[in-house]
């Protein structure tokens, strides 16, 4: 999407900045960024900013590549009862710990979260290092992840939403064009 946007708008400067959801919200409010790519916006954010759903993706189970279940195509979360889990930290990924707890309830057990990561790469590294197993959106498998495998989660099956948010005052034909390209790219991907 970004490649197509840059080809069509060589007069617009684009820059990608890696930020946690909380950092993106702060930067968007401060006018430091034009678009934030977040999960489902909470009602406060949805009222404060314009938004568009970019992608819907299922959750996957993330295992070290030497785990006993690593060769399976899909597993139920309940098969991991008794395993140590790694999750994302609330301060950077609001709502993620609650989602992980809900997943455990749906699977019939309480997930034993032993460590919380500040970012996706850190979580992947912790899983690769044998600290525990994790649950992430399926599309995260596109990030480099040596020592880790993504396995389809049969049950519980939950869809996460990824959204683009922007300030109403910053809306422009170019920004709306980028949002359109992001949506189109997610359908193809």
């Amino acid at each position: 999407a970004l490649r197509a946007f840059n080809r069509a708008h060589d007069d617009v400067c684009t820059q990608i900045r890696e930020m946690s959801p909380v950092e993106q919200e702060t930067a968007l409010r401060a006018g430091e960024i034009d678009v934030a790519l977040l999960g489902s916006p909470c009602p406060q954010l949805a009222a404060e900013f314009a938004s568009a759903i970019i992608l819907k993706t299922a959750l996957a189970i993330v295992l070290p590549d030497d785990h006993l279940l690593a060769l399976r195509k899909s597993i139920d979360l309940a098969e991991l009862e008794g395993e140590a889990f790694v999750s994302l930290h609330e301060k950077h990924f609001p709502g993620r710990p609650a989602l992980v707890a809900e997943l455990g309830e749906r699977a019939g057990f309480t997930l034993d979260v032993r460590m919380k990561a500040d970012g996706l790469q850190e979580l992947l590294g912790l899983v690769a290092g044998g600290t525990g197993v994790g649950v992430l959106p399926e599309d995260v498998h596109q990030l480099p992840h040596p020592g880790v495998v993504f396995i389809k989660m049969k049950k519980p099956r939950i869809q996460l939403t990824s959204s683009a948010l922007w300030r109403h005052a910053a809306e422009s034909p170019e920004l709306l064009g980028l949002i359109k390209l992001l949506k189109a790219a997610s359908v193809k991907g």
Side-chain angles (χ1 to χ4, degrees):
L2 191 55
R3 185 180 301 154
F5 180 82
N6 285 332
R7 285 182 185 146
H9 300 280
D10 62 357
D11 59 330
V12 177
C13 178
T14 56
Q15 181 180 0
I16 297 173
R17 294 175 57 191
E18 185 174 357
M19 305 168 116
S20 71
V22 170
E23 291 169 329
Q24 288 184 69
E25 290 174 29
T26 302
L28 193 59
R29 281 191 183 99
E32 296 169 0
I33 62 173
D34 295 318
V35 178
L37 299 176
L38 304 169
S40 299
C42 67
Q44 175 192 352
L45 290 177
E48 185 177 352
F49 299 109
S51 66
I53 294 172
I54 300 299
L55 172 71
K56 290 187 178 181
T57 187
L59 289 172
I61 295 171
V62 185
L63 302 173
D65 61 5
D66 64 350
H67 193 281
L68 291 174
L69 300 175
L71 296 177
R72 300 259 303 269
K73 297 222 185 280
S74 63
I75 58 177
D76 291 342
L77 185 62
E79 294 179 72
L80 297 173
E81 185 173 5
E83 296 264 0
F85 278 78
V86 179
S87 183
L88 292 167
H89 203 288
E90 176 74 25
K91 73 178 179 179
H92 297 296
F93 292 84
R96 191 54 59 97
L99 174 64
V100 168
E102 179 187 337
L103 285 171
E105 286 177 25
R106 288 185 180 195
F109 71 101
T110 300
L111 277 65
D112 179 13
V113 176
R114 301 248 179 105
M115 184 148 317
K116 294 183 180 178
D118 290 335
L120 298 173
Q121 291 291 358
E122 181 181 345
L123 188 144
L124 293 171
L126 289 167
V127 171
T131 302
V133 299
V135 177
L136 287 174
E138 281 181 349
D139 63 325
V140 174
H141 84 277
Q142 297 173 37
L143 294 176
H145 55 276
V148 170
V149 295
F150 281 72
I151 308 291
K152 180 178 179 178
M153 184 174 14
K154 288 191 293 189
K155 293 180 191 173
R157 193 88 173 133
I158 292 181
Q159 289 267 316
L160 293 184
T161 302
S162 294
S163 301
L165 279 79
W166 63 94
R167 289 174 282 109
H168 293 282
E171 192 167 289
S172 67
E174 293 83 7
L175 188 142
L176 294 176
L178 176 60
I179 301 303
K180 184 177 179 181
L181 288 168
L182 289 169
K183 287 181 179 181
S186 72
V187 172
K188 292 176 189 173

